[in-house]
């Protein structure tokens, strides 16, 4: 038995059943062990869910970096458009992580605080990686305007995130296309 199997089981059960429906027994049954064996790795359910939450954030961060590396060298509009689209489909494809993330940020104030911190880090990352390109393409734009644009892009990305678990494939694709248009309009305002 590994911690990875416990995290995967907790993630799947939590995504479908929420906090109250997730028990150490259900997690143990999914892994094929006794519930008491989980306590060798985690003192309680909250500690296990904390690790699940951290894994979700780490996976998201890894995907952002992968997409950024893939789009390096593209014009800034295309790079940001692909970033937005790729992240949306990353969450759409990984619905278990997405649902678990929504559950965790809904159930725990601590996770909401961590998520807010993560969003601030995401905005900083966005600025750090796209600021120079935006500044070069829009030399008359101020740092404040570029930062506001990054914040608005983050807001659009958050809306797409929620769309990943709410809409049908057809409506989701329309949401992605609308988000891309908004993104381009924001950038063109610079």
């Amino acid at each position: 038995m590994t911690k990875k199997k416990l995290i995967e089981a907790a993630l799947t059960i939590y995504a479908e059943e929420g906090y109250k429906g997730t028990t150490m027994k259900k997690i143990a049954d999914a892994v094929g062990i006794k519930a008491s064996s989980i306590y060798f790795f985690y003192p309680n359910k909250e500690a296990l869910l904390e690790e699940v939450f951290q894994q979700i954030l780490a996976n998201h961060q890894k995907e952002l970096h992968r997409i950024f590396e893939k789009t390096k060298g593209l014009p800034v509009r295309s790079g940001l458009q692909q970033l937005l689209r790729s992240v949306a489909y990353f969450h759409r494809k990984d619905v278990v992580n997405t649902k678990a993330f929504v559950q965790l940020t809904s159930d725990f104030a601590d996770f909401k605080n961590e998520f807010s911190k993560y969003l601030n880090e995401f905005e900083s990352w966005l600025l750090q990686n796209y600021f120079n390109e935006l500044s070069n393409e829009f030399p008359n734009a101020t740092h404040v305007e570029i930062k506001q644009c990054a914040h608005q892009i983050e807001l659009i990305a958050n809306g797409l995130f929620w769309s990943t678990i709410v809409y049908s494939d057809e409506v989701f694709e329309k949401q992605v296309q609308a988000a891309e248009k908004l993104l381009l309009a924001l950038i063109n305002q610079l």
Side-chain angles (χ1 to χ4, degrees):
M1 176 187 59
T2 65
K3 287 177 82 172
K4 183 180 178 184
K5 288 181 182 178
L6 288 172
I7 290 170
E8 288 171 1
L11 178 69
T12 302
I13 294 165
Y14 193 79
E16 294 303 319
E17 301 189 32
Y19 182 76
K20 290 182 182 176
T22 302
T23 65
M24 294 299 241
K25 180 170 178 8
K26 285 182 183 178
I27 295 168
D29 289 347
V31 176
I33 61 171
K34 293 183 181 190
S36 60
S37 298
I38 296 174
Y39 295 102
F40 176 75
F41 297 100
Y42 300 99
N44 53 43
K45 179 168 69 170
E46 290 76 19
L48 176 54
L49 294 176
E50 170 70 25
E51 191 156 334
V52 166
F53 184 75
Q54 292 304 321
Q55 178 180 306
I56 292 169
L57 293 181
N59 289 342
H60 184 262
Q61 190 70 25
K62 182 179 175 184
E63 183 65 7
L64 284 175
H65 289 286
R66 187 194 69 75
I67 296 164
F68 176 73
E69 289 301 317
K70 181 180 169 189
T71 61
K72 247 185 197 176
L74 290 176
V76 70
R77 285 177 177 90
S78 298
L80 285 169
Q81 205 172 1
Q82 282 192 26
L83 175 71
L84 192 67
R85 177 173 279 277
S86 296
V87 168
Y89 279 97
F90 169 75
H91 289 295
R92 180 73 170 193
K93 182 179 159 189
D94 194 1
V95 73
V96 171
N97 272 298
T98 303
K99 284 182 177 180
F101 183 79
V102 169
Q103 293 274 14
L104 286 164
T105 55
S106 299
D107 285 345
F108 296 99
D110 288 349
F111 293 158
K112 286 179 193 173
N113 293 336
E114 281 189 57
F115 180 54
S116 293
K117 180 182 169 198
Y118 183 78
L119 286 179
N120 289 334
E121 290 169 2
F122 171 69
E123 186 177 325
S124 295
W125 177 87
L126 197 61
L127 276 171
Q128 177 185 350
N129 288 289
Y130 290 99
F131 180 80
N132 288 338
E133 285 135 0
L134 286 168
S135 295
N136 290 338
E137 191 164 331
F138 302 97
N140 295 329
T142 66
H143 180 75
V144 170
E145 290 169 328
I146 292 173
K147 187 171 182 174
Q148 182 179 9
C149 183
H151 184 69
Q152 292 167 331
I153 291 169
E154 176 189 354
L155 185 62
I156 293 169
N158 286 340
L160 273 182
F161 172 80
W162 287 99
S163 296
T164 62
I165 59 172
V166 173
Y167 297 111
S168 68
D169 288 344
E170 182 181 323
V171 175
F172 176 69
E173 180 56 34
K174 288 179 183 176
Q175 293 288 326
V176 172
Q177 291 171 7
E180 289 177 319
K181 287 179 184 175
L182 280 172
L183 170 79
L184 294 176
L186 284 172
I187 292 172
N188 288 334
Q189 287 180 6
L190 290 174

